[in-house]
Amino acid sequence: MTGAMYAGISGLKSHMNKLNVIGNNIANVNTYGYKTARTTFREAIYTTMTAGSDGTDLVGGTNPSQIGYGCNIGTIDLDMSNGPAVPTGVNLDCMIQGDGFFMVGDKSGVKPDDLDSLRLTKVGNFHFDKSGYLVDGYGQIVYGFLTSSVPAGDTAGDAGPTEGKTSTQLVPIRLPLAALKDDPDKNIAAGDPIYPGIGQNGENVQSTVQDLVSEDKTISVNVDSIAVDKTGKITATTESNKNVTIGYIALGKVENPAGLTHLDGPYYQAISGAGDVAVTTAGGAVTGNLNNVADGTDGAVRIVGSDNTLLSGFLEGSGTDLATEFSEMITTQRGYQANTRIVTVTDSMLEELVNMKR
């Protein structure tokens, strides 16, 4: 009889944990980028009363007789399908239509063999902070590919004030720095954008016109408007009515999105189970190898293609379906209630056993 008691208790614990998952889903019904979790049960251990047999020439075989001891939580799975598009009217709010995640981290940068150190998120509530960095609502720096200051024909990307090609160095996105004075020889006026230069070895350096920017490189160009298109291309218009191409927002992809480990808030990390992190851009806007490395170079990491797009002015809504969650809550409640009956009935039977000798 105590076996029935243990089975009932395991059922109570399992249903309570499932209700915790349901409660979390319902609590996040209005949380941007939330991915619904689903609980499955599995059978617990069994005690074999009699083993099975194959039979003999004279008698047939028998099946094993086993008694189970309840159930446990089998899996808690994430539904990583896209949520609904929620309009916000904010230009820098972005939603990914398709697979992929925004990649965020700190200002220190990342190496191609350490991409899993970055956090992944579906929530694209972005803005530029006072230092000119593109950050999300929690202050994490958004990573992407910047426009380099390169003269015509230069692929190193470490000289000249002219807007050139897009570097394939994955770096924190920031506004170009502002020229502090005029330089007629370089056709630069005070306030003009000085684009970041990205060296071929991956160093994130400023262009060689160092005398035109602040020593601590914190004074960004002033812009009147900023927009993001469907490929993640960020463009701005300066106060002097110059168009500035800042760069492209990078996206991260993993082999098994449901295997990502959920961190605090809207963040995930590719630890065990998710596979390797690959870098892409919406619509495959940026191609080549990371760090501006030429094809055929040992250790080159390719920027993979993608057919997804970004939707600006929208955020991804919660994946919680209230109708499903409420129906799951009802069946979970009844399952919990049924397991309490097993406990109380077993208790009554034990009481009768104790009272046999009065």
Side-chain angles (χ1 to χ4, degrees):
M1 286 186 290
T2 55
M5 180 78 76
Y6 295 145
I9 292 173
S10 71
L12 292 175
K13 291 180 178 179
S14 298
H15 281 81
M16 191 67 252
N17 285 327
K18 182 177 180 179
L19 192 62
N20 290 337
V21 174
I22 295 172
N24 189 55
N25 289 338
I26 294 176
N28 287 281
V29 65
N30 289 316
T31 300
Y32 290 124
Y34 178 74
K35 300 303 178 184
T36 307
R38 180 196 65 181
T39 307
T40 63
F41 293 158
R42 67 176 178 86
E43 298 165 279
I45 63 173
Y46 282 85
T47 296
T48 300
M49 306 296 292
T50 59
S53 66
D54 293 332
T56 68
D57 293 338
L58 298 177
V59 297
T62 59
N63 296 326
S65 300
Q66 295 176 294
I67 297 178
Y69 283 84
C71 67
N72 293 320
I73 294 294
T75 62
I76 300 177
D77 307 310
L78 290 178
D79 180 2
M80 301 302 290
S81 59
N82 284 346
V86 180
T88 64
V90 180
N91 286 342
L92 285 180
D93 283 350
C94 296
M95 173 185 169
I96 303 172
Q97 292 185 298
D99 57 353
F101 299 81
F102 299 111
M103 309 178 75
V104 299
D106 55 30
K107 299 178 183 178
S108 61
V110 65
K111 296 180 180 179
D113 58 354
D114 196 28
L115 295 175
D116 56 2
S117 65
L118 294 177
R119 294 185 170 193
L120 305 176
T121 179
K122 283 284 191 178
V123 184
N125 56 334
F126 302 144
H127 68 277
F128 284 96
D129 67 6
K130 67 181 186 64
S131 299
Y133 285 95
L134 183 65
V135 300
D136 67 7
Y138 301 93
Q140 293 288 310
I141 312 297
V142 182
Y143 274 66
F145 305 106
L146 297 181
T147 301
S148 301
S149 296
V150 293
D154 189 345
T155 59
D158 58 0
T162 306
E163 177 185 346
K165 64 179 292 185
T166 299
S167 169
T168 62
Q169 172 67 18
L170 184 64
V171 294
I173 296 177
R174 68 173 305 179
L175 292 172
L177 299 184
L180 299 182
K181 59 183 178 181
D182 297 336
D183 190 333
D185 294 336
K186 297 183 176 67
N187 195 28
I188 295 176
D192 280 357
I194 305 298
Y195 294 84
I198 309 298
Q200 192 168 11
N201 294 325
E203 64 271 17
N204 185 9
V205 297
Q206 198 58 37
S207 80
T208 55
V209 285
Q210 299 290 346
D211 58 323
L212 296 181
V213 299
S214 61
E215 292 184 2
D216 56 3
K217 300 180 179 62
T218 57
I219 302 179
S220 303
V221 65
N222 290 322
V223 296
D224 285 336
S225 62
I226 301 177
V228 181
D229 69 8
K230 65 180 182 179
T231 66
K233 181 180 180 181
I234 307 174
T235 57
T237 303
T238 66
E239 291 181 336
S240 57
N241 203 32
K242 289 189 175 182
N243 293 325
V244 178
T245 300
I246 298 170
Y248 291 81
I249 297 175
L251 302 178
K253 298 175 66 175
V254 293
E255 298 163 349
N256 178 25
L260 291 169
T261 299
H262 206 156
L263 306 178
D264 57 305
Y267 301 120
Y268 300 89
Q269 193 165 14
I271 309 178
S272 299
D276 296 329
V277 178
V279 181
T280 184
T281 52
V286 178
T287 59
N289 299 317
L290 291 179
N291 284 6
N292 307 306
V293 173
D295 289 337
T297 304
D298 291 341
V301 179
R302 192 73 180 173
I303 300 173
V304 301
S306 177
D307 57 359
N308 52 15
T309 58
L310 289 190
L311 190 62
S312 62
F314 290 79
L315 291 177
E316 183 175 334
S318 172
T320 298
D321 180 0
L322 283 179
T324 299
E325 298 305 322
F326 279 126
S327 62
E328 287 290 322
M329 182 169 58
I330 292 171
T331 57
T332 302
Q333 179 188 15
R334 292 306 183 190
Y336 188 91
Q337 185 180 32
N339 278 276
T340 63
R341 295 297 182 267
I342 292 294
V343 175
T344 55
V345 169
T346 304
D347 176 60
S348 298
M349 294 174 69
L350 289 173
E351 183 181 11
E352 290 297 325
L353 179 63
V354 172
N355 290 334
M356 286 178 64
K357 180 69 171 68
R358 296 182 181 274

